[in-house]
Amino acid sequence: MKLNFTGSTDPGLVRSSNQDAYHIDPNGRFFIVADGMGGHAGGEQASRIATEEIKEFLLSHWDAPDPTPTLLENALKKANQAIIEDQQQHPERSDMGTTVVAVIFRSPDSPWCAHVGDSRLYRFRESQLQQVTEDHTWVARAIKLGEITEEEARNHPYRHVLSRCLGRKELHQVELQPLDIKLGDRLILCSDGLTEELNNQNIAEQLRNSPVLEKASLALIEAAKEKGGHDNITIVMVSLSENPPQ
């Protein structure tokens, strides 16, 4: 079995800069997508710090005896602290922060996912799309409580209000979960520039039409831009197959 993977990012059609960042480990051990906020310079800095700090922490502690979820949690907390320290050194960026979603493959444990904010992880299995992560947003909580519907949430004025992000002293919890994957599955890590424009049905349709990872990633970005492309769009896609990488 092989892990095939690809990543793409696009500023979209409205933003003049790209505040998203992503990292793919060349050996397919871990994958990260971050979506920064806090103005042009602040957002770019926050997402860059997050991806760099998580990457460096995982690489330097890869052979440590810590269980995989502990390793991943500590990596995100290290990134959170690094962003806070940068805020303190640069008051003009004091409100910056970033969402993040990360997936790690570390034998002998099963794959794990960590996320903070509304960057998402999906699993595409047998032509069906499942959202694995739960957004840390006001509207996600309202949907869960039955206060609004999913359709109402798509245009709700509070849909961008995060309940959790990196770059905050009050970040006490990182969402962690083991992943159930099998041969033929595709994992999709993405920023909300994709999910703001395309609903789950739209995403699944594009994936069904594009079996090759790179083509699927680019097709999703183009579809999001056709719907308006109001935000930066970043996608990292991973598949488990018996075939060599496409």
Side-chain angles (χ1 to χ4, degrees), residues 29-66:
R29 293 173 295 178
F30 55 87
F31 307 87
I32 309 163
V33 167
D35 180 359
M37 68 205 75
H40 177 173
E44 287 186 7
Q45 182 76 348
S47 62
R48 183 194 65 78
I49 291 174
T51 52
E52 285 294 319
E53 290 289 334
I54 294 169
K55 176 190 75 171
E56 293 302 326
F57 189 92
L58 292 179
L59 290 175
S60 61
H61 293 77
W62 192 260
D63 296 323
D66 300 327

Side-chain angles (χ1 to χ4, degrees), residues 145-210:
L145 294 174
E147 296 173 352
I148 61 174
T149 66
E150 290 190 15
E151 192 58 36
E152 290 170 335
R154 294 196 65 80
N155 298 300
H156 199 281
Y158 292 169
R159 67 186 183 278
H160 298 300
V161 176
L162 296 172
S163 58
R164 215 181 298 178
C165 71
L166 295 187
R168 299 295 181 266
K169 292 180 180 178
E170 64 271 18
L171 178 69
H172 302 300
Q173 184 180 3
V174 171
E175 205 78 29
L176 296 157
Q177 55 187 310
L179 298 179
D180 166 32
I181 66 166
K182 64 181 185 179
L183 200 65
D185 286 353
R186 274 188 271 178
L187 299 177
I188 301 94
L189 298 79
C190 63
S191 62
D192 71 343
L194 177 72
T195 54
E196 271 284 300
E197 307 294 357
L198 305 179
N199 61 28
N200 290 2
Q201 183 177 347
N202 300 145
I203 295 171
E205 182 179 355
Q206 291 294 332
L207 292 171
R208 292 186 194 109
N209 292 335
S210 302

